[in-house]
Amino acid sequence: MQRRSLIALAALALGAATAVQAQAPDWKKIRIGVEGAYPPFSEVGPDGKLKGFEIDYANALCAEMKAECTLVQQDFDGLIPALQARKVDAIIASVSITDERKKAIAFSNPYYNTPARFAAKVDAKLDVSPAGMKGKKIGVQRATIHEKFAAEVFKQSEIVRYATQDQAFLDLKSGRIDATVADMVAIDMGFLKTPAGKGFAFAGPTFTDVKYFGVGSGVGMRKADEKVLGKKFNDAIAALRANGTFKKLNDKYFEYDISPK
């Protein structure tokens, strides 16, 4: 009787282990959350298709991992909730690796790193310091490191929040805000070097404080998936650096090296 019970328990345990193994993802199919409103990293072209550095980079990572990937467009402030709700499996959307975010999700190694800067009218002559920006309206994209930085450092300024960085650029152009702070590359390539950016320029220094800006942007994922999926992404990130794919994409979109140092 005891032997039969042990055999039965062993069979149940084996069955449960097999079921868990069968349910464990092999990551041949991956849903990746992207923003689609952050040129030149990610945007929607005139044809309605996603394009940009991170779109090409995500596809290159998937090709390296031999995975079938689906890009899921989502507002930036909804990306981490979508990940936690299992609507996507990973995020590739210029999500900076910060200590605060690491409390909620896991990250791959960084795949790019660029500083933050302010932009304003050429003739604004702004003193970009907490005292110098007193009473000024600073536009930021909601749920970003730039929002947190502006709110905590420029406490005497009025922080105006937007769903997308493009909306902040529109209000800067129309004069509704005095300045915007964002990723330097996004400002340069997504605004200053476009017709809409005529008459505007960078203002003040670059900002790189790790407390706010982290160590670069990485692929976000659920902590439970970090061991297997994280290794796949890290191996692919290293491979794209080694085989020249990253440099090729970097040079396609940027005039400078955005690789993490």
Side-chain angles (χ1 to χ4, degrees):
M1 187 70 167
Q2 185 179 12
R3 185 168 180 271
R4 286 182 181 177
S5 297
L6 290 173
I7 291 171
L9 287 171
L12 285 171
L14 179 61
T18 303
V20 170
Q21 187 174 13
Q23 292 171 9
D26 58 8
W27 300 117
K28 294 299 183 182
K29 293 184 177 181
I30 305 172
R31 298 164 300 167
I32 298 177
V34 299
E35 182 179 3
Y38 199 59
F41 294 98
S42 173
E43 61 183 308
V44 178
D47 59 359
K49 295 181 180 180
L50 288 162
K51 66 175 186 175
F53 169 79
E54 285 186 305
I55 303 303
D56 288 354
Y57 188 69
N59 287 325
L61 287 174
C62 291
E64 181 65 32
M65 294 187 292
K66 295 179 173 56
E68 178 186 335
C69 292
T70 302
L71 302 186
V72 181
Q73 190 179 354
Q74 172 80 50
D75 287 345
F76 186 83
D77 58 0
L79 283 167
I80 290 179
L83 179 69
Q84 293 170 328
R86 308 190 74 84
K87 294 179 180 178
V88 297
D89 304 305
I91 303 171
I92 297 181
S94 295
V95 183
S96 297
I97 305 167
T98 64
D99 288 340
E100 183 175 359
R101 284 179 175 153
K102 284 194 289 186
K103 294 175 183 177
I105 64 173
F107 285 95
S108 70
N109 294 330
Y111 57 88
Y112 90 83
N113 191 14
T114 49
R117 289 200 75 175
F118 278 75
K121 287 184 177 179
V122 171
D123 57 0
K125 298 179 181 178
L126 292 180
D127 171 11
V128 181
S129 66
M133 295 297 286
K134 181 179 179 179
K136 301 291 186 182
K137 292 183 178 180
I138 301 173
V140 295
Q141 185 177 5
R142 193 166 49 239
T144 63
I145 53 176
H146 307 100
E147 177 192 13
K148 182 177 176 64
F149 167 69
E152 293 189 6
V153 176
F154 294 85
K155 294 181 178 179
Q156 299 180 82
S157 302
E158 180 180 345
I159 309 303
V160 185
R161 295 163 174 84
Y162 299 90
T164 70
Q165 184 58 42
D166 280 347
Q167 291 173 357
F169 290 145
L170 286 172
D171 271 11
L172 180 62
K173 180 77 173 176
S174 66
R176 293 189 183 94
I177 57 176
D178 299 294
T180 185
V181 59
D183 180 272
M184 182 187 79
V185 175
I187 289 177
D188 189 27
M189 307 295 290
F191 182 61
L192 297 182
K193 284 186 167 64
T194 71
K198 185 177 181 181
F200 294 83
F202 284 122
T206 58
F207 295 93
T208 59
D209 189 341
V210 172
K211 175 184 176 181
Y212 295 106
F213 305 109
V215 295
S217 293
V219 180
M221 68 201 81
R222 289 178 291 273
K223 289 187 176 184
D225 299 329
E226 181 178 13
K227 184 175 181 180
V228 177
L229 187 58
K231 184 178 188 308
K232 283 181 175 290
F233 273 115
N234 283 337
D235 288 348
I237 288 168
L240 296 189
R241 287 291 297 272
N243 66 23
T245 300
F246 178 88
K247 186 178 188 309
K248 182 179 178 181
L249 292 177
N250 185 111
D251 294 349
K252 175 182 175 180
Y253 287 97
F254 311 115
E255 298 174 353
Y256 26 73
D257 181 12
I258 68 166
S259 62
K261 303 300 187 286

